Amino acid sequence: MLAFSAGDAAALKKKLGEWQAPVEWKAIRGEAKSLRAEFKASDNCRLVAVVKQGDEAGQIIQRALDRLKSEDKESWEIPTGIYYGSGKKPGKLALVFSGQGTQYPGMLRDLACQFPEFKKVLEDADSGFKEYSNGTPDTHLSDIIYPRGAFTDQETSDQVDRLKLTQHAQPGIGAVSIGGWYVLAERFGINPDAAAGHSYGEICALHAAGTITADEFHALSSLRGKLMSAGDEDRGSMAAVTVPLDDIQKVLDEEKLELVIANKNAPAQGVISGKTEEIKRAIEVFNKRDMRIIPLKVSAAFHSPLVADATKPFGKHLEKVKFKKGKFPVYSNTTAAEYPAEQKGVREILAAQLENPVEFVNEITKMHADGIRTFLEIGPGKRMSGLVRSILEGKEYHSIALDQSNGKKSGQEDLARALARLVTLGYEVTLTAWDETFVPVVKENGSKAAMEVMVAGANLVKPKDELAPYTLTSAVAGVPAAQSVGGVAPSANEAFTAIQDNLTGLQRLQEQTAQLHQQFLHSQQEAQAAFQRLISQQQGVLGLLT
């Protein structure tokens, strides 16, 4: 991240115009580290460019300068990774945690590999999963989130389906979401004013605020997924309808469909929930009216009376949880307001949330009315950011996603872009924590080294010991060896004879090697022919069976 800040636009333009881009990547990293150390989020004008190895850093900064000269908006961004902001921060910052349905195998993998904070969360999640899930003792949640590489389309599909199971999806999403949050909070100093979560994501929000401990968070995540997926009978189904919420309710009433709008996700997008047969009938009804409806692959009719049987055991477990006062308020899907301070109120809302509709539209609207202007989505994908845009269209707001590319780009690049957007908007971010272990190599006089060579196992050579006298022996039996090199020197004829004998031995060795290689090639041909005969025989047998 190349970070620049100044008291006014003129001073920032001067900095950008005078900056000279180094040629080598390590030199660019060293320069970027110095720039981040000098950057001040409190300065009136702020610009950050996210640069990857292989990019032309000089051209990128020149493009930023050109845009700055022609643009007079308080903040703007260029999709290639250039962010600018001026003045004070636009308002309060809120975290928004994603819910079930956003998961995918390998989610936030790059961050999990790079940051110890993230890895620790995965270890804790594995422990909670073993105790409270339906899995066997040797099943690791992290292996379901990050499965081994798939070699066939069927393997890929199986990995997706396994993670999609409610008992895996919910604790899995929670693990990577909180892992990402720990990276943002503990390493980069992100300090939000509030938090919310979509459905299951609300538990993540409560933990991020410090209302529930890490152990309780992982236990509740696995238990919630287990309870909501339990049972062999038909637990119902769900379908997404992309029409205004009022129109959805009107159709349900007119057709007397025994369904509820379980998720009020956006002004023109809701999810209906109920018995499977009713969902099938609803699909026919909405299709006849040319209203877009998509059946969802879920294990139950979430946020409907059909999952009410999970509310009681979940509530019973909540009675053992000691809820603390959070560091910042958490908004509820059910009430669209802040969670109450007393423990009893928290328990009641959290338990009933399983069967009550998700009032996400009202929740985001209330948060905006309370002064929140920037929504930072934490978790897999950017679906929550899309919903926020739909809800707050036409209003002043900013939406940022930690996993902006949905795993299609480098996780480090997505993180850098999120941090760059936050800090240019005026929020405090510890930019010096980025690439903090990198140490530019400098000469003795203090200047940066013109060239450096990495020492690794491939090129590290130990000093050689002084060679002791040795005796040259023949490579092939029957060839006499030369006399001792360290003893009395042999005559010229003897030395010449020894050399000839060794050359003859080397020639015989090469001939033997060639013969062995020819035998190897012949055996390979025979093995390939045998394999082809086996395939032909199997095909013949299959032909008879069909």
Side-chain angles (χ1 to χ4, degrees), residues 521-539:
L521 293 177
H522 182 67
S523 63
Q524 287 288 93
Q525 291 175 351
E526 290 184 342
Q528 185 176 7
F531 183 73
Q532 290 292 341
R533 288 195 298 271
L534 178 61
I535 294 296
S536 300
Q537 291 172 3
Q538 290 179 340
Q539 290 176 342

Side-chain angles (χ1 to χ4, degrees), residues 212-363:
I212 55 177
T213 65
D215 289 341
E216 284 297 347
F217 163 71
H218 293 298
L220 290 174
S221 296
S222 294
L223 179 62
R224 189 180 191 273
K226 174 182 177 180
L227 293 173
M228 296 187 75
S229 61
D232 298 327
E233 71 281 359
D234 176 29
R235 295 175 59 81
S237 188
M238 305 176 78
V241 187
T242 313
V243 297
L245 296 174
D246 290 342
D247 292 345
I248 297 175
Q249 188 62 56
K250 183 179 179 181
V251 173
L252 297 182
D253 294 338
E254 290 178 354
E255 298 291 339
K256 293 183 172 52
L257 289 163
E258 296 181 5
L259 300 170
V260 297
I261 303 179
N263 296 354
K264 298 177 182 178
N265 291 334
Q269 200 258 308
V271 177
I272 56 176
S273 181
K275 295 181 180 179
T276 302
E277 290 302 320
E278 285 294 277
I279 289 292
K280 290 180 179 178
R281 191 160 74 90
I283 293 173
E284 294 178 1
V285 167
F286 279 96
N287 281 330
K288 286 181 180 178
R289 297 186 181 217
D290 291 327
M291 295 179 172
R292 190 165 181 260
I293 182 170
I294 302 172
L296 301 178
K297 294 182 180 180
V298 294
S299 58
F302 303 138
H303 300 289
S304 79
L306 291 184
V307 294
D309 55 344
T311 301
K312 188 174 181 179
F314 191 64
K316 187 175 182 180
H317 182 89
L318 290 175
E319 292 176 1
K320 299 182 293 184
V321 178
K322 184 177 180 180
F323 295 94
K324 302 177 182 179
K325 182 179 180 181
K327 295 174 288 187
F328 44 81
V330 175
Y331 285 75
S332 164
N333 287 167
T334 305
T335 65
E338 295 178 10
Y339 263 85
E342 67 276 7
Q343 296 195 44
K344 181 181 178 182
V346 176
R347 289 192 183 95
E348 290 176 350
I349 293 175
L350 194 55
Q353 187 223 37
L354 300 183
E355 60 178 307
N356 285 331
V358 175
E359 299 286 351
F360 198 66
V361 173
N362 292 339
E363 183 178 12

Side-chain angles (χ1 to χ4, degrees), residues 98-103 164-166 169-170 173 198 200 302 383:
S98 51
Q100 188 171 351
T102 60
Q103 73 281 342
K164 192 181 295 181
L165 296 174
T166 301
Q170 292 190 10
I173 292 170
H198 189 281
Y200 160 76
F302 303 138
R383 195 171 300 177

Side-chain angles (χ1 to χ4, degrees), residues 60-78:
I60 291 174
I61 296 304
Q62 183 59 50
R63 186 179 182 188
L65 178 58
D66 294 341
R67 177 68 177 269
L68 188 60
K69 290 178 179 179
S70 62
E71 185 72 72
D72 58 358
K73 291 182 179 179
E74 289 187 355
S75 65
W76 47 261
E77 63 182 86
I78 299 176

Side-chain angles (χ1 to χ4, degrees), residues 18 85 87 110 123 143 145 149 154 181 244-245 352 356 391 461 475 500:
E18 293 176 348
D110 290 343
E123 293 172 352
D143 289 337
I145 302 171
Q154 185 60 50
W181 162 240
L245 296 174
N356 285 331
I391 296 168
V461 180
Q500 281 187 321

Side-chain angles (χ1 to χ4, degrees), residues 371-424:
I372 294 170
R373 292 294 178 270
T374 303
F375 298 82
L376 174 59
E377 179 179 358
I378 302 180
K382 55 179 180 179
R383 195 171 300 177
M384 298 302 104
S385 298
L387 297 180
V388 169
R389 285 194 295 271
S390 298
I391 296 168
L392 299 179
E393 185 177 4
K395 298 179 180 180
E396 179 193 357
Y397 74 95
H398 301 275
S399 62
I400 304 168
L402 177 62
D403 188 26
Q404 177 69 28
S405 70
N406 203 47
K408 294 179 176 62
K409 292 183 179 180
S410 159
Q412 288 89 343
E413 181 179 351
D414 282 340
L415 173 61
R417 286 170 175 255
L419 295 174
R421 193 72 191 106
L422 282 170
V423 78
T424 53

Side-chain angles (χ1 to χ4, degrees), residues 25 52-56:
W25 173 244
K52 304 185 297 296
Q53 187 171 5
D55 290 346
E56 293 291 341

